[in-house]
């Protein structure tokens, strides 16, 4: 069988000479016809560079230093840009990461797809066919739309339709679901799987997510700092990873099935190597727990480790036969697990919290006496946070979870309801809270890039809360600053750097240190690890968990990532369109009976284990607008377990489960259990037979 | 420590010399600035010193730029006019930058009706092209140096405030500003320490651009007779006086014209270099 | 879309009202005694009193403003102090001349500036880009009165191709006036040209970096289609706004240019009015210019909204 794509010895660098950043080195890979090939790596691994190199779309500063790229029998690197045109037109297609930016804002979708098709005859019908094939319900309307009129998921379907237009030999998908919600991601992955099955197109799927790759691909290659370190069939790679880096990656991913025990994750020690100062031996040696002198001095070759797998490690044989354990050392936890003093005391109580954002009325509305409308971002939320416990708040974009975080902090004053901090009523507006309140309540934001002032040094950033909130003396500040840095595992010399000189993980740890400076009673984490690579995310999560054991703070941990929440939270609250739909202890929420929305969320999480298949519970369409929420149960428009009129007309009652969870649903609990009993949640994974 | 501070202070000037064109521009501006400072000491003749016997002399070694129809030394007048233009355009710009920054920072951060009203009023000023507004003001208040200075400041405050506003609108939603509020920082500290540093690059570029437009404006006003009045050695005024004698003493027109152009181009190149170095488009 | 239109139009009205108030305040309220300004220091008390009454200066400022604004809107623009003639015919005659010059300038400047900017951007970093970019920077540095005087010296006196003065007769038609319009139009063009070309270049460069351009290229369609339909289709959108803003520059430029060439337009009339301290004339001319500028902005906004589906179907 001939290969759809064969890459031999590909090296790419930015710049020349000593400062050259060599982002891809000596990469070999082969994608068989009809094969779905996954390429995983963390940011900086060079995976997107590889995709762009195949497309011949590297930017001007990048240089291909050597190697060959063959599509079928064609040497792509030998082609001039003009000669690439015919390849792009029919044989090789790319679905990029950011669909809205990748579509021309001023041209109708139909025309953008149509202009790529050969021949003028019947073009419009072919465009409609393509749109229908990617699962868009109303192709005629979509074809007439402009990109901004479509939702993110629909835009990505349009990009896929665009790619299918030429009946390509190879389809490259570069993180196509990165900015989408999990439930949307799941439907896009279903689509890709169906298309591959139906047409036999070879697929190169580039991703940072081990879960997605495990669920989608036949073969997987792991890229680390520009080198391909392992390449194997998907079952082999996930069952018996041979390279220590692959092992480490798998250990760092929180998963729904392993998470609830609150076992510490295993982050990868050390830092990603700089592409202009790479180690001379094995590229992973500085972070490898089983490195030897040989590893440090000699770069290992990419060896065959079986009929269909290759690995770049000197010691793979010892790892393969089980005599060597390549796992990263487990981080020692700071405290014992005995309950800290005051555990269970209520720190924050929210009762009926509401937040409405008024919509500006137009002149015509005022003339027509139309009533003022508002977006109901948070709708009557009751929550209770207790000392030393973590409440995980989960929801997709638009669920109002971030607004709720800002309401708690006071950055966005609530429009209704009541908050109590340690039994004392809490002012809604941050401007009305005095220092003694401010120091008890802190927040860690999503993006440390925006949470740290780029013009200040780490020292200046940390000094202020120590002076103002912790009221430290001058000497005290110096000591506590050092202690703070240590508690988030940063070195003293980090104090003099500016945020721009730190890595993403380091920045987030500075942000955490700032929040902890005054030893708050309650910390809100708003998607605080979402932007981080898995290995970094694991170490930040461990820091967060250890600090809680030490300090006994209550956490409100907000995330869209169910696995991360499951790994950290004692309790979980699920939010949809501004309202809570299910709350309870983590174990109970992750086991049947579920709220139908929780069920769909769990089903959508891609499990990093190819043997596990979940029942596909998929949500239809897009979430409704919070300015015009559905009547009755807010979830009824998309609910896979929709009952009938009662869901449309009446708000659902709260049902009390046996394990302490509460579900807002019209379906009785025993009926939910009957419907959902087969779905894997926190139960042992249901194995399916190995695929060919 | 002192050395480190000195080198950091020097580093602040690096954007001025970031590209070859910026280096050229900054050097030109520096030379003119030196002329503005030392001009009175260097000028061989007084601004209005008339040597009738020497009238209408073409450029020569003794009279590098020649003399005008009244026998005044063009070189001395160009040299002495430099200080005028720097004081008027420079000071006017400086006032506009200071006031515009303060107003832009405060109103934009506070938002709401204050911001809305302030910028509606600014829009109404900007609805008049700068020269038109300047002429209107000088036409009613009468032409004088102080009025020219005031006109530049008033005309440019809204523009500077707008530039500041565009940055502040972006920065004030940043989480580090929220973090500062969570620390209970005062309004002035949030404005000056958290937000202002991010405004400075845009402000540097805009300040340089404003300076170049101000030079233009002062010269245009002088040329139209609505700005600096005779017999001051204002460059625009000199051109206006010389245009009637252009076929007799063309040098009296071309040298001040060249001075204006060179200085404006120098400032523009400097602004362009600043913009490139600080990552902003002017 | 219609909401957007209504909002734009509302803003325009608010701005015009505020601007007219500014103009009125600056010219009639702030300076103190207008009668004294007009008549000079030696005027007799009775003459001052008479003029104050004529101008209605004894009424409260708000009433003065409203009656002035009402007069302007209904076409009663008062009489000129300097000439004693009614202002409206005086100004309207000049408006035509200035508009003729302005449109000729725009007709030359806008297309050539866009072409220059696009060419520079599509060849960014190559010699032709350097020539255009540095040239534009240099031209921006030349005041209109300098370029104007140089052009007169060169094309009128040395080469004698064109007339040096542009004092056209009031009843002259466009064709008769054309030779005299060329020099002032060329002078005003230069500054606009450089300004619009620089912004066009920046806009095209920004668009070229956007991901959708790569998408278009990867469809394997002709490079020309990528450039014209995708890149320029989006890049020229901001140019609409740029042209409107440059209309303000053009107004400033024309004031100077008309003076250099003795061209009988509004700009020359304005300097005349300033010279004579003719406050009502100054007010009228300024108002006309402001309305023209505001209309240019409104047209640009509407055009932009029409061309950008994100606003049209927002």
């Amino acid at each position: 069988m001939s290969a759809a794509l064969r890459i031999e010895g590909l090296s790419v660098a930015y710049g020349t000479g000593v400062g050259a950043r060599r982002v891809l080195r000596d990469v070999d890979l082969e994608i068989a016809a009809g094969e779905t090939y996954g390429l995983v790596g963390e940011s900086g691994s060079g995976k997107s560079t590889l995709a762009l190199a195949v497309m011949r779309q590297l930017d001007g500063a990048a240089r291909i230093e050597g190697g060959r790229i063959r599509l079928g029998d064609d040497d792509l690197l030998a082609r001039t840009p003009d000669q690439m045109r015919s390849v792009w037109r029919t044989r090789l297609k790319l679905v990029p990461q950011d669909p809205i930016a990748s579509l021309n804002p001023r041209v109708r979708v139909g025309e953008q797809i149509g202009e790529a098709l050969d021949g003028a005859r019947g073009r419009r019908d072919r465009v409609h066919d393509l749109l229908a094939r990617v699962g868009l319900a109303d192709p005629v309307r979509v074809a007439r739309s402009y990109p901004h009129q479509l939702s993110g998921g629909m835009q990505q379907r349009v990009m896929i339709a665009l790619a299918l237009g030429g009946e390509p030999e190879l389809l490259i998908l570069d993180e196509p679901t990165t900015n989408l919600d999990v439930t949307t991601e799941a439907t896009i992955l279903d689509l890709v799987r169906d298309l591959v099955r139906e047409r036999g197109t070879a697929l190169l799927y580039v991703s940072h997510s081990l879960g997605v790759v495990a669920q989608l691909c036949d073969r997987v290659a792991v890229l680390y700092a520009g080198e391909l370190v392992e390449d194997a069939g998907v079952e082999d790679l996930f069952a018996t990873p041979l390279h220590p880096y692959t092992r480490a990656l798998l250990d760092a991913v929180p998963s729904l099935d392993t998470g609830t025990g609150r076992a510490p994750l295993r982050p990868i020690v050390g830092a990603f190597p700089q592409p202009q100062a790479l180690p001379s031996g094995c590229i992973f040696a500085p972070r490898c727990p089983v490195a030897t002198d040989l590893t440090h001095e000699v770069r290992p070759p990419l060896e065959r480790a079986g009929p269909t797998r290759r690995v770049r490690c000197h010691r793979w044989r010892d790892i393969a036969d089980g005599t060597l354990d390549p796992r990263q050392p487990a981080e020692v936890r700071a405290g014992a697990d005995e309950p800290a003093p005051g555990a269970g005391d209520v720190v924050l109580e929210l009762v009926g919290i509401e937040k409405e954002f008024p919509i500006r009325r137009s002149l015509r509305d005022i003339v027509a006496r139309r009533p003022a409308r508002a977006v109901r971002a948070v709708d009557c939320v009751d929550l209770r946070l207790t000392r030393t416990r973590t409440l995980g708040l989960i929801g997709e974009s638009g669920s109002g979870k971030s607004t709720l975080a800002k309401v708690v902090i006071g950055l966005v004053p609530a429009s209704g309801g009541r908050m109590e901090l340690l039994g004392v009523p809490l002012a809604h507006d941050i401007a009305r809270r005095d220092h003694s309140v401010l120091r008890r309540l802190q927040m860690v934001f999503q993006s440390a890039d925006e949470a740290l002032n780029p013009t200040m040094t780490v020292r200046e950033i940390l000094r202020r809360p120590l002076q103002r909130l912790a009221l430290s003396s001058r000497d005290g500040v110096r000591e506590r600053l050092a202690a703070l840095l240590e508690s988030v595992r940063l070195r003293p010399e980090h104090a003099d750097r500016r945020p721009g000189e730190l890595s993403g993980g380091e920045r987030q740890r500075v942000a955490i240190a700032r929040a902890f400076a005054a030893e708050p009673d309650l910390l809100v984490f708003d998607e605080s690890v979402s932007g981080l690579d898995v290995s970094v995310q694991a170490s930040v999560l461990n820091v967060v968990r250890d600090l809680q054991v030490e300090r006994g703070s209550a956490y409100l941990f907000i995330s869209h990532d169910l696995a991360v929440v499951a790994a950290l939270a004692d309790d979980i609250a699920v939010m949809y369109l501004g309202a809570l739909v299910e709350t309870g202890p983590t174990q109970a929420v992750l086991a049947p009976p579920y709220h139908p929305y929780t069920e769909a969320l769990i089903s959508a999480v891609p499990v990093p284990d190819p043997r596990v298949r979940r029942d596909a519970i998929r949500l239809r369409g897009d979430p409704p607008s919070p300015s015009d929420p559905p009547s009755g149960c807010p979830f009824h428009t998309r609910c896979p377990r929709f009952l009938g009129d009662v869901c449309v007309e009446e708000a659902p009652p709260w049902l009390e489960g046996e394990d302490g969870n509460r579900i807002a649903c019209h379906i009785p609990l025993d009926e939910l259990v009957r419907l959902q009993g087969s779905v894997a949640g926190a139960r042992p994974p249901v194995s399916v037979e190995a695929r060919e | 420590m002192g050395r480190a501070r000195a080198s950091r202070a020097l580093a602040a000037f690096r954007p001025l010399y970031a590209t070859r064109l910026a280096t050229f521009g900054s050097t030109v501006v520096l030379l003119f600035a030196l002329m503005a400072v030392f001009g009175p000491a260097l000028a061989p003749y007084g601004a209005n010193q008339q040597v009738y016997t020497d009238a209408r002399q073409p450029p020569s070694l003794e009279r590098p730029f020649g003399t005008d129809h009244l026998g005044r030394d063009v070189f001395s007048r160009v040299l002495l006019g430099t200080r005028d233009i720097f004081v008027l355009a420079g000071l006017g710009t400086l006032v506009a930058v200071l006031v515009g920054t303060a107003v832009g920072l405060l109103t934009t951060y506070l938002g709401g009706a204050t911001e809305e009203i302030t910028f509606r009023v600014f829009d109404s000023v900007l609805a008049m092209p700068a020269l038109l507004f300047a002429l209107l003001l000088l036409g009613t208040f009468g032409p004088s140096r102080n009025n020219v200075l005031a006109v530049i400041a008033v005309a440019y405050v809204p523009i500077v405030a707008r530039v500041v506003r565009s940055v502040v609108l972006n920065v004030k939603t940043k989480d580090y500003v929220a973090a500062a509020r969570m620390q209970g920082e005062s309004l002035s500290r949030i404005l000056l320490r958290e937000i202002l540093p991010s405004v400075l690059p845009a402000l540097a570029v805009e300040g340089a651009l404003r300076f170049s437009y101000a030079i233009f404006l002062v010269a245009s006003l002088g040329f139209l007779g609505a700005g600096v009045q005779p017999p001051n050695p204002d460059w625009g005024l000199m051109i206006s006086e010389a245009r009637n004698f252009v076929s007799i003493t063309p040098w009296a027109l071309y040298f001040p014209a060249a001075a204006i152009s060179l200085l404006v181009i120098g400032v523009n190149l400097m602004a362009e270099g600043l913009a490139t170095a600080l990552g902003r488009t002017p | 879309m219609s909401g957007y239109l209504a909002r734009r139009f509302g803003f325009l009205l608010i701005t015009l009202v505020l601007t007219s108030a500014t103009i009125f305040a600056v010219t009639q309220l702030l300076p103190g005694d207008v009668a004294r300004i007009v008549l000079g220091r030696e005027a007799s008390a009775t003459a001052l009193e008479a003029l104050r009454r004529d101008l209605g200066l004894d009424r409260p400022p708000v009433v003065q403003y409203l009656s002035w604004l009402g007069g302007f809107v209904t076409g009663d623009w008062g009489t000129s102090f300097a000439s004693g003639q009614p202002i409206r015919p005086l100004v309207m005659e000049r408006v035509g001349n200035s508009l003729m010059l302005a449109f000729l300038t725009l007709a030359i400047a806008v297309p050539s500036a866009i072409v220059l900017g696009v060419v520079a951007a599509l060849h960014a970093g190559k010699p032709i880009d350097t020539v255009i970019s540095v040239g534009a920077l240099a031209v921006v540095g030349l005041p209109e009165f300098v370029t104007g005087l140089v052009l007169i010296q060169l094309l009128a006196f040395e080469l004698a191709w064109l007339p040096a003065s542009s004092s056209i007769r009031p009843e002259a038609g466009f064709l008769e006036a054309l030779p005299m319009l060329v020099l002032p139009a060329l002078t005003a063009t230069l500054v606009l040209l450089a300004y619009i070309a620089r912004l066009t270049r920046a806009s095209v460069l920004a668009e070229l970096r956007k991901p959708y351009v790569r998408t278009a290229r990867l469809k394997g369609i002709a490079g020309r289609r990528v450039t014209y339909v995708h890149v320029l289709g989006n890049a020229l959108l901001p140019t609409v706004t740029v042209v409107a803003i440059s209309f303000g520059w053009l107004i400033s430029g024309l004031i100077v240019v008309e003076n250099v060439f003795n061209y009988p337009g509004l700009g020359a009339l304005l300097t005349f009015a300033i010279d004579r301290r003719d406050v009502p004339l100054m007010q009228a001319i300024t108002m006309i210019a402001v309305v023209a500028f505001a209309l240019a902005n409104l047209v640009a906004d509407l055009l932009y909204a029409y061309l950008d589906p994100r606003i049209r179907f927002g």
Side-chain angles (χ1 to χ4, degrees), chain A residues 106-446:
Chain A
R106 282 191 57 243
V107 178
R108 289 177 200 273
V109 164
E111 192 187 334
Q112 297 198 49
I113 296 175
E115 70 176 347
L117 299 177
D118 284 316
R121 275 242 314 273
R123 198 180 260 191
R124 181 184 302 195
D125 291 338
R126 278 150 70 207
V127 168
H128 293 162
D129 282 351
L130 282 169
L131 290 172
R133 247 158 89 195
V134 294
L136 288 164
D138 188 353
V140 179
R141 190 184 61 84
V142 172
R144 258 189 290 131
S145 304
Y146 288 95
H148 76 276
Q149 295 172 305
L150 306 176
S151 70
M154 290 165 87
Q155 288 161 0
Q156 197 54 287
R157 283 173 194 269
V158 167
M159 289 307 293
I160 294 173
L162 195 56
L164 294 179
E167 305 283 330
E169 295 160 40
L170 177 70
L171 190 58
I172 300 179
L173 291 100
D174 185 6
E175 304 252 21
T177 60
T178 302
N179 297 322
L180 304 176
D181 279 324
V182 250
T183 53
T184 315
E185 173 181 76
T187 58
I188 297 277
L189 293 179
D190 289 345
L191 169 68
V192 171
R193 207 177 284 127
D194 289 347
L195 289 172
V196 168
R197 195 179 307 142
E198 186 181 302
R199 301 160 49 115
T201 311
L203 198 77
L204 174 60
Y205 194 97
V206 179
S207 179
H208 69 281
S209 162
L210 290 163
V212 168
V213 170
Q215 295 295 317
L216 187 70
C217 299
D218 307 320
R219 287 186 75 74
V220 176
V222 179
L223 214 53
Y224 177 74
E227 289 189 12
L228 201 151
V229 296
E230 187 163 6
D231 168 24
V234 68
E235 311 272 335
D236 290 341
L237 189 98
F238 281 87
T240 57
L242 292 183
H243 197 281
Y245 174 65
T246 315
R247 173 84 259 170
L249 266 186
L250 287 172
D251 288 344
V253 190
S255 113
L256 276 187
D257 302 322
T258 59
T260 48
R262 296 196 34 147
L265 299 162
R266 288 172 191 259
I268 306 179
V269 296
F272 217 75
Q274 298 291 318
Q276 59 268 41
L278 294 168
S280 56
C282 170
I283 194 155
F284 190 58
R287 308 174 76 182
C288 182
V290 294
T292 59
D293 288 349
L294 181 70
T295 322
H296 282 288
E297 279 152 25
V298 181
R299 183 167 172 251
L302 189 61
E303 284 184 78
R304 284 216 163 276
T308 59
R309 69 186 302 180
R310 294 173 305 162
V311 59
R312 196 187 283 280
C313 177
H314 290 301
R315 307 188 71 188
W316 69 267
R317 288 181 184 81
D318 295 342
I319 296 170
D321 63 23
T323 49
L324 191 65
D325 181 9
R327 284 192 295 174
Q328 296 279 321
E331 289 189 327
V332 199
R333 293 182 63 173
D337 240 339
E338 83 246 12
D345 293 357
V346 176
V347 176
L348 182 78
E349 174 122 38
L350 307 183
V351 183
I353 286 297
E354 291 182 1
K355 178 65 203 177
E356 291 194 337
F357 294 102
I359 300 175
R360 226 176 170 175
R361 285 203 294 176
S362 70
L363 198 63
R364 206 196 293 170
D365 290 340
I366 296 169
V367 172
R369 304 242 172 140
R370 243 167 283 177
R373 289 185 308 149
V375 175
R376 260 183 116 66
V378 177
D379 190 6
C380 202
V381 166
D382 300 334
L383 281 178
R384 179 179 288 177
L385 289 133
T386 53
R387 198 170 289 286
T388 65
R389 280 179 84 82
T390 299
L391 174 68
L393 183 63
I394 186 125
E396 296 182 286
S397 50
S399 64
K401 57 189 192 305
S402 286
T403 307
L404 185 61
K406 293 196 171 106
V407 164
V408 168
I409 292 300
L411 291 168
V412 172
S415 349
R418 167 163 79 73
M419 294 191 270
E420 274 181 18
L421 183 70
L422 299 167
V424 179
L426 184 62
H428 284 184
D429 189 342
I430 194 170
R432 291 156 162 253
R433 297 180 181 175
D434 61 24
H435 280 186
S436 64
V437 174
L438 291 175
R439 59 167 295 191
R440 293 179 189 283
L441 242 176
Q442 284 290 317
M443 174 160 169
V444 180
F445 296 93
Q446 172 168 16

Side-chain angles (χ1 to χ4, degrees), chain B residues 5 16 20 26 58-59 93 163 172 183 242 261:
Chain B
R5 193 165 296 168
L16 293 176
R20 253 184 305 163
S26 304
T93 307
V163 170
K172 83 175 207 184
Q183 286 164 22
S261 304

Side-chain angles (χ1 to χ4, degrees), chain A residues 409 411 429-430 435 438 442-443 445 450-456 460 464-465 468-469 514, chain B residues 8 116 173-186 189 193-195 197-198:
Chain A
I409 292 300
L411 291 168
D429 189 342
I430 194 170
H435 280 186
L438 291 175
Q442 284 290 317
M443 174 160 169
F445 296 93
E450 296 205 351
L452 304 179
N453 192 329
T455 63
M456 293 185 182
E460 290 169 303
R464 287 301 290 181
R468 288 191 66 81
L469 298 180
R514 173 176 62 192
Chain B
R8 204 171 315 153
E116 183 82 20
T173 62
K174 289 268 173 10
D175 291 336
Y176 59 78
V177 175
R181 292 179 64 198
M182 279 157 48
Q183 286 164 22
E185 301 287 6
S186 65
R189 189 178 155 96
R193 292 283 287 133
E194 301 284 347
I195 298 182
S198 305

Side-chain angles (χ1 to χ4, degrees), chain C residues 200-229:
Chain C
T200 304
R201 175 180 180 272
S203 163
V204 173
L205 281 181
E207 220 56 43
L208 278 171
R209 278 191 290 267
K210 299 224 172 125
Y212 73 81
V213 177
R214 170 180 287 158
T215 308
R217 211 173 281 138
L218 288 183
K219 288 173 191 169
I221 54 181
R224 247 173 303 127
R225 187 172 162 86
V226 176
T227 307
Y228 289 107
V229 173

Side-chain angles (χ1 to χ4, degrees), chain A residues 52-75:
Chain A
L52 291 180
V54 174
M55 295 306 298
R56 295 285 311 276
Q57 282 294 306
L58 290 171
D59 65 58
R63 218 160 25 81
I64 293 184
E65 289 188 310
R68 279 214 285 196
I69 301 174
R70 286 172 167 281
L71 180 71
D73 294 325
D74 250 313
D75 185 352

